[in-house]
């Protein structure tokens, strides 16, 4: 299954990583220092986030820096908008029914 | 003069994705008694529950705590998707707590699809009434599945919009 933004934000550690990177780009080591879990576990999450497209890596000199890709988070909003439209349509049907009921009553 | 009846009420959605919850709010220009009826009588639900181009057909409705509503969503090509709502707690004209899931014609749950828990609240408001729907998912995977289905629904929506466009064009 293709990784997406929803999987990215599903996990508390991943959410914490996103929050940290949203403030500033960081090296894997600097990032790992913020967590009690092993470096390996953190780098697994980073790999996951990179696959989701939420995090991008960039080589600067000898260090790799991870950056946050804000565009990707907007995908979640797009999906919600579709979901909202679906409900809106359903509720417009309901408006019509309610109007019918009112007319019958009066 | 502005006809108040025709003022469009906005459907609002707020998300709490980390907690696997979605909240939908909407005002209606009708009093709470009518909204409650439309939400709880199957002959009325059949008229509005399915978004176009789908329609709803109730097989059985037993509206009480512990009862269930078994219905089919019928697509434009006649395909039926069976759904079931288990009513857990009903507070007259106040709230309905229920589980919603896909099933077969007999109401046997299809475990391949996510189950959702719904809490619908009804309130009187200046416009008439207001409803609040909170949808919660048990599992992360369920939310993911709904997301995929949401994309599908978005696609269906696009088609129904196209239908309308074609109607106005001719």
């Amino acid at each position: 299954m293709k990784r997406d933004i929803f999987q990215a934000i599903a996990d508390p550690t991943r959410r914490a990583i996103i929050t940290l990177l949203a403030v500033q780009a960081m090296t894997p080591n600097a990032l790992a220092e913020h967590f009690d879990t092993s470096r390996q576990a953190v780098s697994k999450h980073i790999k996951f986030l990179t696959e989701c497209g939420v995090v991008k890596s960039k080589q600067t000199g000898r260090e790799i820096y991870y950056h946050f890709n804000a565009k990707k988070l907007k995908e979640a909003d797009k999906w919600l908008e579709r979901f909202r439209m679906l409900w809106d349509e359903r509720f417009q049907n309901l408006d019509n029914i309610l109007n019918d009921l009112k007319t019958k009553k009066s | 003069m502005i006809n108040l009846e025709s003022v469009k009420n906005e459907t609002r959605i707020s998300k709490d994705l980390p907690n696997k919850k979605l909240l939908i709010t909407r005002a209606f220009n009708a009093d709470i008694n009518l909204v409650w009826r439309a939400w709880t009588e199957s002959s009325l639900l059949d008229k509005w529950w399915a978004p176009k181009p789908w329609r709803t057909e109730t097989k059985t409705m037993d509206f009480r705590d512990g009862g269930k509503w078994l219905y089919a969503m019928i697509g434009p090509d006649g395909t039926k998707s069976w759904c079931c709502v288990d009513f857990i707690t009903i507070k007259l004209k106040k709230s309905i707590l229920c589980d919603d899931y896909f099933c077969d014609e007999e109401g046997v749950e299809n475990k391949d699809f996510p189950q959702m828990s719904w809490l619908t609240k009804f309130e009187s408001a200046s416009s008439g009434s207001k409803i609040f729907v909170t949808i919660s998912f048990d599992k992360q995977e369920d939310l993911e599945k709904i997301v995929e289905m949401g994309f599908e629904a978005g696609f269906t929506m696009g088609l129904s919009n196209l239908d309308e466009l074609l109607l106005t064009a001719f």
Side-chain angles (χ1 to χ4, degrees):
Chain A
M1 198 176 134
K2 205 181 149 278
R3 301 223 187 275
D4 61 40
I5 181 66
F6 296 95
Q7 291 171 296
I9 58 175
D11 178 271
T13 309
R14 289 203 288 275
R15 289 201 295 275
I17 293 174
I18 294 173
T19 314
L20 286 168
L21 293 181
V23 181
Q24 58 172 68
M26 289 171 112
T27 63
N29 281 345
L31 204 49
E33 275 167 23
H34 286 86
F35 300 94
D36 294 333
T37 43
S38 69
R39 252 150 228 257
Q40 230 177 344
V42 174
S43 77
K44 245 188 198 168
H45 284 303
I46 296 173
K47 188 170 171 267
F48 195 108
L49 288 170
T50 314
E51 284 167 5
C52 300
V54 181
V55 166
K56 281 182 174 170
S57 60
K58 217 182 196 175
Q59 184 99 29
T60 311
R62 275 168 42 200
E63 296 273 24
I64 288 175
Y65 279 86
Y66 291 110
H67 296 255
F68 167 62
N69 182 14
K71 254 192 240 160
K72 211 64 196 173
L73 268 190
K74 289 207 175 109
E75 268 184 24
D77 289 334
K78 258 194 225 159
W79 170 73
L80 269 167
E81 178 53 21
R82 286 198 185 88
F83 190 76
R84 195 193 67 79
M85 280 166 71
L86 180 88
W87 274 88
D88 198 42
E89 174 147 350
R90 181 177 264 176
F91 286 149
Q92 281 173 36
N93 295 342
L94 178 53
D95 281 336
N96 295 335
I97 301 303
L98 291 169
N99 271 333
D100 286 354
L101 288 176
K102 272 195 258 181
T103 327
K104 271 184 208 155
K105 227 174 134 194
S106 51
Chain B
M1 232 179 73
I2 301 169
N3 177 6
L4 277 177
E5 298 277 307
S6 69
V7 172
K8 198 177 170 295
N9 288 312
E10 211 185 329
T11 304
R12 287 173 199 277
I13 291 209
S14 56
K15 58 191 164 174
D16 184 358
L17 291 177
N19 288 321
K20 300 180 277 291
K21 274 183 207 285
L22 293 165
L23 174 71
I24 304 153
T25 51
R26 173 70 141 76
F28 292 96
N29 304 324
D31 74 46
I32 204 162
N33 296 310
L34 288 184
V35 176
W36 179 262
R37 279 189 58 198
W39 212 280
T40 57
E41 293 177 20
S42 58
S43 61
L44 294 173
L45 276 166
D46 281 359
K47 289 182 187 162
W48 71 270
W49 185 250
K52 277 183 278 178
W54 295 72
R55 62 190 176 83
T56 314
E57 213 176 81
T58 295
K59 189 179 178 191
T60 56
M61 170 59 122
D62 182 14
F63 187 68
R64 61 180 170 88
D65 288 7
K68 60 167 70 185
W69 174 35
L70 176 60
Y71 66 95
M73 296 265 250
I74 305 166
D77 62 350
T79 8
K80 284 186 181 179
S81 301
W82 290 92
C83 304
C84 198
V85 172
D86 284 352
F87 300 109
I88 299 161
T89 316
I90 297 165
K91 289 180 186 156
L92 187 69
K93 290 171 195 174
K94 281 201 173 73
S95 67
I96 302 167
L97 178 67
C98 60
D99 284 336
D100 176 86
Y101 52 90
F102 287 90
C103 59
D104 65 11
E105 208 177 329
E106 306 306 319
V108 178
E109 185 175 356
N110 182 342
K111 302 260 184 201
D112 295 341
F113 288 97
Q115 183 173 336
M116 289 175 275
S117 173
W118 296 53
L119 176 64
T120 310
K121 285 186 184 169
F122 302 77
E123 265 179 26
S124 287
S126 54
S127 68
S129 48
K130 217 170 172 186
I131 64 107
F132 304 82
V133 184
T134 309
I135 305 177
S136 326
F137 307 88
D138 285 348
K139 296 185 295 249
Q140 177 54 32
E141 304 89 75
D142 287 355
L143 180 56
E144 281 161 20
K145 272 205 181 128
I146 287 294
V147 167
E148 283 170 41
M149 286 158 68
F151 279 115
E152 257 175 58
F155 181 63
T156 316
M157 274 285 312
L159 290 183
S160 85
N161 290 344
L162 182 63
D163 285 345
E164 273 173 19
L165 189 72
L166 290 171
L167 276 177
T168 33
F170 294 103

